[in-house]
Amino acid sequence: MKRLNWRSPNIMIILSLVLIAATLGFSVAQSTRLVIILMVPIAAVIALITPVYSRYAMALSTATKGQISGKLAVAHTSGYPIGSLLAGLGYVELSSWWLSLSLIAGIIFILSCVVVYKSRLSAYSILASNM
């Protein structure tokens, strides 16, 4: 495994939990001001989590940085319209427009848990092979 320069592998899980909390906060938002305030942690989490999972992908994969960056670019490009579609459908069909945002946040949380679990398995297997 390549060196990973983050102190805690749980940072992705923590960030995704903040994302879930902020999107669920929309369910009680009764004012535009609160919606704007809740967007701050959402934007911060997305800005912080992107380089974190990029580093995890590069640390856990034997692929080149260019291949990993390309795959992440494809995932991001497909994620934007899917997220927009979910949000649009949720707004039109449901009075709970925030639900689709929370669903996306939940998916990010699950994927973060999988990545952290795989990184721990990889670290344990390296330790076991060195003994």
Side-chain angles (χ1 to χ4, degrees):
M1 184 166 113
K2 299 173 191 170
R3 187 164 182 243
L4 188 59
N5 293 324
W6 291 92
R7 289 194 173 151
S8 172
N10 296 324
I11 191 72
M12 283 180 53
I13 294 172
I14 294 166
L15 288 172
S16 59
L17 286 172
V18 170
L19 188 61
I20 289 172
T23 56
L24 288 175
F26 285 133
S27 68
V28 296
Q30 297 295 320
S31 69
T32 305
R33 181 175 289 170
L34 184 56
V35 169
I36 291 169
I37 290 169
L38 287 169
M39 285 306 297
V40 172
I42 291 171
V45 164
I46 293 188
L48 292 172
I49 205 168
T50 303
V52 173
Y53 67 69
S54 297
R55 283 184 184 260
Y56 268 106
M58 289 179 192
L60 295 173
S61 177
T62 57
T64 66
K65 288 183 180 182
Q67 290 172 323
I68 293 168
S69 296
K71 289 177 182 177
L72 289 174
V74 168
H76 288 155
T77 303
S78 10
Y80 292 130
I82 291 170
S84 299
L85 175 66
L86 283 174
L89 290 174
Y91 186 74
V92 172
E93 297 297 326
L94 304 169
S95 60
S96 304
W97 59 272
W98 51 270
L99 198 56
S100 56
L101 298 174
S102 295
L103 175 65
I104 292 168
I107 292 169
I108 291 171
F109 172 75
I110 291 167
L111 292 174
S112 296
C113 289
V114 168
V115 167
V116 170
Y117 177 73
K118 281 188 171 190
S119 71
R120 287 189 178 152
L121 279 181
S122 177
Y124 292 143
S125 68
I126 290 171
L127 283 174
S129 67
N130 290 335
M131 292 184 160

